[in-house]
Amino acid sequence: MTVFLDDLSMPYVNAWGDQITLEITRQLIDHKGFYFLDKDSRGYFKNIDNLQFLGAMNHPGGGRNDIPNRLKRQFFSINMTPPSNKSVGDIYGSVLGALFTIKRYTQDVVNMKTLLIDATIAVWENVGKKLLPTPSKFHYLFNIRELARVFGGICKVAQQHEYKVIQSVSALKEKISPQLFLIGLWRHECERTFMDKLTNNADKKVFVDILNRTTKEKFRESLGFDDDQLITNMLFADF
């Protein structure tokens, strides 16, 4: 049987620097069994054979534990590094490029593709640097999944081009441009992906500051919108 141990480094570290759960795990891997503790059979060894172990954990640091070397020596370790920004840009550039085509949208909308990718990567990097995980905020992990969620929300609107959602926004009474609509959609997806993970208002303010600053830096000069226009508060839902 293969035993998969996810979040291997999560067990609590006690005052002596031990993670009790992992010491039991290490004994099982090292000695292939346990001693009986029942009164009648105390001291007898129970062999547990034909197990193999596969573990996964985040990199230590930022509130995340390491694991004891006594356990680490039992594994062949593989370090999975995150993709480079260029790789991320290529991946999602291909996805957005397939949806934002000149056959479906105007050139102004198609040109938003690169700006949205750059802005999303900038938010993702800054959130990961500013909002680090701690023992009480162990879920503050912002990896490539978050990028997929942001782009997934944008793609959900873009791929249903037959409903002409993006093309028709200039006909609304607010007279919003398709480019500004996409910025509003992007900001909404960033808020749902990143801000909804945060547990207190102080952290949410840090995120909002990052989002607003990135919005101005990435879209103001490129598109010529005022700051008041760029800082949208639109909400999106699928009915």
Side-chain angles (χ1 to χ4, degrees):
M1 183 172 72
T2 299
V3 181
F4 176 57
L5 304 163
D6 201 6
D7 289 320
L8 186 59
S9 61
M10 188 176 283
Y12 172 74
V13 180
N14 65 19
W16 294 273
D18 296 322
Q19 292 158 283
I20 296 172
T21 315
L22 298 185
E23 292 301 331
I24 297 171
T25 306
R26 191 265 316 155
Q27 180 181 331
L28 175 60
I29 297 172
D30 217 358
H31 298 284
K32 296 182 172 56
F34 302 105
Y35 286 96
F36 283 95
L37 297 180
D38 301 342
K39 185 177 180 180
D40 295 336
S41 53
R42 189 171 297 158
Y44 290 103
F45 193 75
K46 177 189 286 187
N47 289 293
I48 303 174
D49 295 323
N50 295 323
L51 294 181
Q52 60 179 353
F53 296 86
L54 180 67
M57 59 180 277
N58 284 303
H59 292 97
R64 295 183 293 268
N65 299 325
D66 199 353
I67 61 173
N69 288 329
R70 292 187 298 273
L71 177 62
K72 199 180 295 181
R73 73 184 182 196
Q74 307 293 337
F75 289 90
F76 175 76
S77 299
I78 303 173
N79 180 37
M80 300 293 290
T81 57
S84 67
N85 287 352
K86 184 182 183 305
S87 297
V88 171
D90 290 344
I91 292 167
Y92 292 108
S94 299
V95 173
L96 294 184
L99 295 175
F100 288 102
T101 63
I102 201 67
K103 291 182 179 179
R104 297 176 179 177
Y105 298 105
T106 63
Q107 190 63 51
D108 288 344
V109 173
V110 173
N111 291 342
M112 290 291 293
K113 177 186 72 173
T114 304
L115 296 175
L116 291 171
I117 292 170
D118 290 346
T120 307
I121 291 174
V123 169
W124 174 56
E125 283 189 322
N126 282 304
V127 168
K129 292 175 184 175
K130 296 284 187 181
L131 298 168
L132 298 172
T134 66
S136 62
K137 302 172 185 176
F138 59 87
H139 65 289
Y140 276 27
L141 301 173
F142 305 101
N143 52 39
I144 198 169
R145 289 178 188 169
E146 273 64 44
L147 292 176
R149 292 185 180 113
V150 172
F151 289 117
I154 296 171
C155 290
K156 191 171 184 180
V157 176
Q159 71 186 4
Q160 297 181 341
H161 58 94
E162 67 271 19
Y163 294 114
K164 299 186 183 301
V165 175
I166 298 173
Q167 299 94 315
S168 303
V169 292
S170 55
L172 296 173
K173 65 178 182 179
E174 290 86 354
K175 300 296 182 186
I176 186 171
S177 73
Q179 295 160 299
L180 206 54
F181 174 85
L182 279 173
I183 293 170
L185 174 61
W186 169 77
R187 284 173 58 86
H188 165 84
E189 294 301 333
C190 286
E191 288 172 351
R192 299 290 70 76
T193 299
F194 296 103
M195 193 164 73
D196 288 357
K197 256 190 172 186
L198 308 179
T199 58
N200 58 57
N201 289 331
D203 289 347
K204 290 180 181 180
K205 184 180 183 307
V206 171
F207 169 76
V208 170
D209 289 343
I210 291 171
L211 181 63
N212 289 346
R213 184 174 65 252
T214 305
T215 302
K216 295 172 186 176
E217 289 175 355
K218 297 297 181 181
F219 300 109
R220 182 170 50 196
E221 291 185 10
S222 303
L223 302 176
F225 290 115
D226 295 334
D227 289 351
D228 292 340
Q229 292 175 291
L230 289 172
I231 308 304
T232 59
N233 291 300
M234 300 179 189
L235 295 175
F236 291 80
D238 183 1
F239 296 103

